[in-house]
Amino acid sequence: FPCASPPPRPALVIAVIYNALESTPDRPLDLLAVAAHPDDVEQTCGGTLIKAAEMGYRTGVLDLTAGDMGTRGTPELRIEESQCAARHMLLAWRGNLRLPDARLENSLPARMTLAAEMRRLRPRVVILPYWEGRHPDHYRAAELGYEACFLAGLRKLESTTEPHRPFKLLYASVYANVTPSFVVDVSSQFERRMEALLAYQSQYGESEAGASLFPRREEIRDRLAAVARFYGNLIGVRYGEPYVVKETMRVDDVLQLGVRSF
């Protein structure tokens, strides 16, 4: 699969990306996004991941399935494309649990597997899909992520790894009809986010398979840009990505809040 080279970035950042896409990160992740399928994060929180990486944070994505029930492509190709997208998003790490697509269950084995990954990756902040959605895999991923993050913090869960519980859980709410708790300005990252999404050529390239179900690339870009413009307008910027948090957030310095009231 030909992976187009991402646009140039400072040499230090590029070195981190290409050397860190390994099976085991050498240092804990700052930000981890958990998704049901490859290409989910590119649509919902890709700009936030890119922005965090540009700020020097270590970012990662854990896809729970390889999208093997999809109309187009194969699981192996989807994973290969996801690694290409990872480079566009400047990720330090990306993995795939290969759980069953369209049959994702919040089972004990799945929770324990994901909890073990949380203890291994040790992310400070985790982004999950919104807890309601049209596709059952998406809200199952939210359930799994929430419960696995809790279990990962139990010292007696198992003895071979140290307990770890993320400091904060965020829910990507771009496709949920809810008021966001906050919106991230991704105006400078939106084009790179689109490059990451379109790295899935099996899904968004020209193909006869499922032609009546899949919009053309130009239409996909227009739709995602319109959604991002809507959320960006809420905070007075060009493009935005919305999030919801369940817990009350602590604020120590109200003068550092990026609130646009007028």
mmCIF file of all heavy atoms in Angstrom, residues 197-215:
data_model
loop_
_atom_site.group_PDB
_atom_site.id
_atom_site.type_symbol
_atom_site.label_atom_id
_atom_site.label_comp_id
_atom_site.label_asym_id
_atom_site.label_seq_id
_atom_site.Cartn_x
_atom_site.Cartn_y
_atom_site.Cartn_z
ATOM 1 N N LEU A 197 -7.381 11.076 6.970
ATOM 2 C CA LEU A 197 -8.596 10.334 6.645
ATOM 3 C C LEU A 197 -8.525 9.746 5.243
ATOM 4 O O LEU A 197 -8.879 8.580 5.021
ATOM 5 C CB LEU A 197 -9.818 11.249 6.774
ATOM 6 C CG LEU A 197 -11.161 10.597 6.420
ATOM 7 C CD1 LEU A 197 -11.497 9.485 7.403
ATOM 8 C CD2 LEU A 197 -12.274 11.636 6.389
ATOM 9 N N LEU A 198 -8.060 10.529 4.286
ATOM 10 C CA LEU A 198 -8.025 10.070 2.903
ATOM 11 C C LEU A 198 -6.883 9.090 2.645
ATOM 12 O O LEU A 198 -6.762 8.554 1.539
ATOM 13 C CB LEU A 198 -7.931 11.270 1.961
ATOM 14 C CG LEU A 198 -9.158 12.201 2.005
ATOM 15 C CD1 LEU A 198 -8.984 13.384 1.070
ATOM 16 C CD2 LEU A 198 -10.442 11.441 1.672
ATOM 17 N N ALA A 199 -6.054 8.833 3.663
ATOM 18 C CA ALA A 199 -5.070 7.759 3.542
ATOM 19 C C ALA A 199 -5.751 6.396 3.455
ATOM 20 O O ALA A 199 -5.144 5.427 2.994
ATOM 21 C CB ALA A 199 -4.107 7.782 4.729
ATOM 22 N N TYR A 200 -7.010 6.330 3.876
ATOM 23 C CA TYR A 200 -7.788 5.093 3.742
ATOM 24 C C TYR A 200 -8.343 5.020 2.320
ATOM 25 O O TYR A 200 -9.532 5.216 2.074
ATOM 26 C CB TYR A 200 -8.916 5.067 4.769
ATOM 27 C CG TYR A 200 -8.427 4.991 6.196
ATOM 28 C CD1 TYR A 200 -8.188 6.147 6.927
ATOM 29 C CD2 TYR A 200 -8.184 3.763 6.810
ATOM 30 C CE1 TYR A 200 -7.726 6.090 8.231
ATOM 31 C CE2 TYR A 200 -7.724 3.694 8.114
ATOM 32 C CZ TYR A 200 -7.495 4.862 8.815
ATOM 33 O OH TYR A 200 -7.041 4.794 10.095
ATOM 34 N N GLN A 201 -7.456 4.709 1.391
ATOM 35 C CA GLN A 201 -7.856 4.702 -0.012
ATOM 36 C C GLN A 201 -8.866 3.606 -0.304
ATOM 37 O O GLN A 201 -9.698 3.747 -1.213
ATOM 38 C CB GLN A 201 -6.630 4.558 -0.899
ATOM 39 C CG GLN A 201 -5.686 5.754 -0.806
ATOM 40 C CD GLN A 201 -4.528 5.649 -1.772
ATOM 41 O OE1 GLN A 201 -4.609 4.954 -2.786
ATOM 42 N NE2 GLN A 201 -3.442 6.333 -1.467
ATOM 43 N N SER A 202 -8.832 2.524 0.457
ATOM 44 C CA SER A 202 -9.808 1.455 0.244
ATOM 45 C C SER A 202 -11.222 1.919 0.570
ATOM 46 O O SER A 202 -12.202 1.410 0.015
ATOM 47 C CB SER A 202 -9.455 0.234 1.098
ATOM 48 O OG SER A 202 -9.621 0.515 2.481
ATOM 49 N N GLN A 203 -11.328 2.898 1.469
ATOM 50 C CA GLN A 203 -12.652 3.374 1.892
ATOM 51 C C GLN A 203 -13.094 4.608 1.118
ATOM 52 O O GLN A 203 -14.281 4.760 0.819
ATOM 53 C CB GLN A 203 -12.623 3.710 3.391
ATOM 54 C CG GLN A 203 -12.136 2.579 4.271
ATOM 55 C CD GLN A 203 -12.974 1.326 4.104
ATOM 56 O OE1 GLN A 203 -14.184 1.339 4.332
ATOM 57 N NE2 GLN A 203 -12.332 0.243 3.688
ATOM 58 N N TYR A 204 -12.158 5.489 0.792
ATOM 59 C CA TYR A 204 -12.527 6.778 0.228
ATOM 60 C C TYR A 204 -11.994 7.008 -1.182
ATOM 61 O O TYR A 204 -12.193 8.070 -1.749
ATOM 62 C CB TYR A 204 -12.047 7.897 1.158
ATOM 63 C CG TYR A 204 -12.604 7.735 2.556
ATOM 64 C CD1 TYR A 204 -11.780 7.352 3.619
ATOM 65 C CD2 TYR A 204 -13.962 7.913 2.814
ATOM 66 C CE1 TYR A 204 -12.291 7.172 4.898
ATOM 67 C CE2 TYR A 204 -14.477 7.729 4.085
ATOM 68 C CZ TYR A 204 -13.641 7.358 5.119
ATOM 69 O OH TYR A 204 -14.157 7.175 6.375
ATOM 70 N N GLY A 205 -11.341 5.999 -1.749
ATOM 71 C CA GLY A 205 -10.930 6.090 -3.136
ATOM 72 C C GLY A 205 -12.074 5.682 -4.055
ATOM 73 O O GLY A 205 -13.138 5.232 -3.613
ATOM 74 N N GLU A 206 -11.864 5.831 -5.346
ATOM 75 C CA GLU A 206 -12.882 5.447 -6.324
ATOM 76 C C GLU A 206 -12.945 3.924 -6.404
ATOM 77 O O GLU A 206 -11.944 3.248 -6.617
ATOM 78 C CB GLU A 206 -12.542 6.032 -7.696
ATOM 79 C CG GLU A 206 -12.515 7.548 -7.716
ATOM 80 C CD GLU A 206 -13.861 8.164 -7.331
ATOM 81 O OE1 GLU A 206 -14.904 7.576 -7.673
ATOM 82 O OE2 GLU A 206 -13.863 9.206 -6.661
ATOM 83 N N SER A 207 -14.131 3.361 -6.184
ATOM 84 C CA SER A 207 -14.303 1.916 -6.201
ATOM 85 C C SER A 207 -15.735 1.583 -6.573
ATOM 86 O O SER A 207 -16.673 2.314 -6.219
ATOM 87 C CB SER A 207 -13.965 1.317 -4.829
ATOM 88 O OG SER A 207 -14.292 -0.052 -4.783
ATOM 89 N N GLU A 208 -15.907 0.466 -7.288
ATOM 90 C CA GLU A 208 -17.250 0.011 -7.647
ATOM 91 C C GLU A 208 -17.972 -0.584 -6.443
ATOM 92 O O GLU A 208 -19.191 -0.518 -6.341
ATOM 93 C CB GLU A 208 -17.168 -1.033 -8.767
ATOM 94 C CG GLU A 208 -16.673 -0.477 -10.097
ATOM 95 C CD GLU A 208 -17.609 0.584 -10.646
ATOM 96 O OE1 GLU A 208 -18.839 0.436 -10.486
ATOM 97 O OE2 GLU A 208 -17.118 1.567 -11.210
ATOM 98 N N ALA A 209 -17.211 -1.184 -5.528
ATOM 99 C CA ALA A 209 -17.823 -1.810 -4.357
ATOM 100 C C ALA A 209 -18.481 -0.753 -3.477
ATOM 101 O O ALA A 209 -17.832 0.188 -3.020
ATOM 102 C CB ALA A 209 -16.764 -2.570 -3.566
ATOM 103 N N GLY A 210 -19.787 -0.922 -3.253
ATOM 104 C CA GLY A 210 -20.505 0.005 -2.388
ATOM 105 C C GLY A 210 -20.578 1.420 -2.917
ATOM 106 O O GLY A 210 -20.694 2.373 -2.140
ATOM 107 N N ALA A 211 -20.521 1.572 -4.250
ATOM 108 C CA ALA A 211 -20.496 2.917 -4.833
ATOM 109 C C ALA A 211 -21.731 3.726 -4.447
ATOM 110 O O ALA A 211 -21.661 4.944 -4.288
ATOM 111 C CB ALA A 211 -20.381 2.817 -6.358
ATOM 112 N N SER A 212 -22.864 3.056 -4.274
ATOM 113 C CA SER A 212 -24.095 3.775 -3.927
ATOM 114 C C SER A 212 -24.145 4.154 -2.452
ATOM 115 O O SER A 212 -24.977 4.970 -2.039
ATOM 116 C CB SER A 212 -25.318 2.914 -4.271
ATOM 117 O OG SER A 212 -25.308 1.706 -3.523
ATOM 118 N N LEU A 213 -23.267 3.574 -1.640
ATOM 119 C CA LEU A 213 -23.279 3.828 -0.201
ATOM 120 C C LEU A 213 -22.256 4.874 0.215
ATOM 121 O O LEU A 213 -22.430 5.525 1.245
ATOM 122 C CB LEU A 213 -22.987 2.525 0.559
ATOM 123 C CG LEU A 213 -23.948 1.349 0.323
ATOM 124 C CD1 LEU A 213 -23.444 0.115 1.065
ATOM 125 C CD2 LEU A 213 -25.362 1.704 0.764
ATOM 126 N N PHE A 214 -21.187 5.022 -0.557
ATOM 127 C CA PHE A 214 -20.080 5.882 -0.178
ATOM 128 C C PHE A 214 -20.092 7.170 -0.996
ATOM 129 O O PHE A 214 -20.102 7.116 -2.233
ATOM 130 C CB PHE A 214 -18.740 5.168 -0.403
ATOM 131 C CG PHE A 214 -18.481 4.039 0.553
ATOM 132 C CD1 PHE A 214 -19.079 2.800 0.362
ATOM 133 C CD2 PHE A 214 -17.646 4.211 1.647
ATOM 134 C CE1 PHE A 214 -18.838 1.756 1.235
ATOM 135 C CE2 PHE A 214 -17.406 3.172 2.525
ATOM 136 C CZ PHE A 214 -18.001 1.942 2.321
ATOM 137 N N PRO A 215 -20.091 8.323 -0.345
ATOM 138 C CA PRO A 215 -19.985 9.587 -1.090
ATOM 139 C C PRO A 215 -18.601 9.741 -1.691
ATOM 140 O O PRO A 215 -17.637 9.102 -1.251
ATOM 141 C CB PRO A 215 -20.253 10.652 -0.025
ATOM 142 C CG PRO A 215 -19.887 9.998 1.268
ATOM 143 C CD PRO A 215 -20.201 8.541 1.111
#
